[in-house]
């Protein structure tokens, strides 16, 4: 059974800092890995999708990497802003629909 | 595109009552998913449909839970009878019929059972 773990559970950084969020998964037989953002009281918004054959994906200040063999992914956020404050969730898709980690709650302090 | 639409946004009910949650997926999306989110357990898949057909309902916690998708533009999740431990945020999500398509989530229904 696939299990997804995200560390740390919460993170607070000053504005302008670069930061890395971590995600690990137990079963490397995946089709893709997705990163989502969740704002309080809202649904999840897809940020990046990395297919199993890819090593990384970039969107603006966000860069996600995937090391399928070691069961790890990172989400790198450059030059963080207060508007980046949210919970970031990682999810993997294998033979079953997306299995989610519990997320990292990020606070960017102005 | 209006996105995935869920109703109601909030539901407060008493233990033992029937609760029905509704979802309208994005037009053209063939897959629909119901998830439940709690602080303790995070996001858990309850059931998903492909082309209106339930594919996997192994995540449905008990027989008190049932889901239907009578057509491509509407799905319901029903809890009968409801219990306090059912209190959670219930999300509906949809995607095109592809393993490598991102999921689009609704804003959820926050259910409180007293």
């Amino acid at each position: 059974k696939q299990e997804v773990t995200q560390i740390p559970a919460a993170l607070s950084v000053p504005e302008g800092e670069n930061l890395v969020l971590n995600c690990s998964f137990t079963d490397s037989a995946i089709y893709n890995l997705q990163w989502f953002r969740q704002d309080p009281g809202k649904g999840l918004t897809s940020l990046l999708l990395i297919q199993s054959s890819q090593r990384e994906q970039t969107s603006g200040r966000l860069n996600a990497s995937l090391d399928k063999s070691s069961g790890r992914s990172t989400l790198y956020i450059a030059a963080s802003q207060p508007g980046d404050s949210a919970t970031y969730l990682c999810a993997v898709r294998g033979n079953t629909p997306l299995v989610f980690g519990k997320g990292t709650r990020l606070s960017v302090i102005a | 595109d209006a996105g995935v639409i869920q109703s109601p946004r909030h539901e407060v009910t008493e233990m033992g009552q029937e609760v029905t949650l509704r979802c309208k997926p994005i037009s053209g999306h063939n897959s629909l998913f119901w998830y439940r989110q709690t602080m303790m357990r995070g996001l858990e898949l309850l059931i998903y449909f492909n082309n209106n057909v339930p594919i996997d309902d192994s995540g449905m916690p008990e027989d008190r839970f049932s889901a239907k998708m009578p057509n491509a533009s509407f799905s319901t999740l029903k809890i009968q009878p409801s219990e306090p431990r059912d209190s959670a945020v219930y999300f509906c999500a949809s995607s095109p019929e592809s393993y490598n398509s991102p999921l689009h989530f609704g804003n959820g229904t926050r259910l409180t059972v007293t």
Side-chain angles (χ1 to χ4, degrees), chain B residues 68-113:
Chain B
K68 294 182 179 180
M69 191 164 186
N71 57 61
S73 59
F74 184 65
S75 177
T76 59
L77 178 68
K78 182 181 293 186
I79 307 172
Q80 180 185 21
S82 58
E83 296 183 3
R85 60 189 166 135
D86 301 331
S87 298
V89 181
Y90 291 81
F91 286 103
C92 175
S94 70
S95 76
E97 191 174 14
S98 166
Y99 280 106
N100 280 319
S101 298
L103 240 57
H104 298 260
F105 278 78
N107 282 331
T109 295
R110 180 174 295 278
L111 173 65
T112 303
V113 183

Side-chain angles (χ1 to χ4, degrees), chain A residues 34 36-38 42-46 91 98 100, chain B residues 2-6 26 29 33-36 43 90-95 102-108:
Chain A
Q34 300 182 36
F36 293 84
R37 168 184 173 139
Q38 185 175 27
K42 297 291 180 65
L44 283 70
T45 300
S46 180
L98 286 178
F100 284 84
Chain B
V4 177
I5 299 173
Q6 291 186 247
I26 292 173
H29 282 191
F33 306 81
W34 283 100
Y35 282 88
R36 177 171 69 176
L43 268 164
Y90 291 81
F91 286 103
C92 175
S94 70
S95 76
L103 240 57
H104 298 260
F105 278 78
N107 282 331

Side-chain angles (χ1 to χ4, degrees), chain A residues 10-62:
Chain A
L11 180 65
S12 183
V13 301
E15 180 179 6
E17 233 179 61
N18 303 324
L19 59 101
V20 174
L21 307 181
N22 296 293
C23 171
S24 61
F25 48 96
T26 55
D27 185 352
S28 61
I30 65 170
Y31 290 105
N32 62 62
L33 182 144
Q34 300 182 36
W35 282 93
F36 293 84
R37 168 184 173 139
Q38 185 175 27
D39 293 288
K42 297 291 180 65
L44 283 70
T45 300
S46 180
L47 297 173
L48 290 164
L49 183 154
I50 311 176
Q51 297 184 24
S52 62
S53 59
Q54 299 176 320
R55 297 284 294 184
E56 64 179 325
Q57 280 285 345
T58 298
S59 176
R61 294 182 294 108
L62 306 180

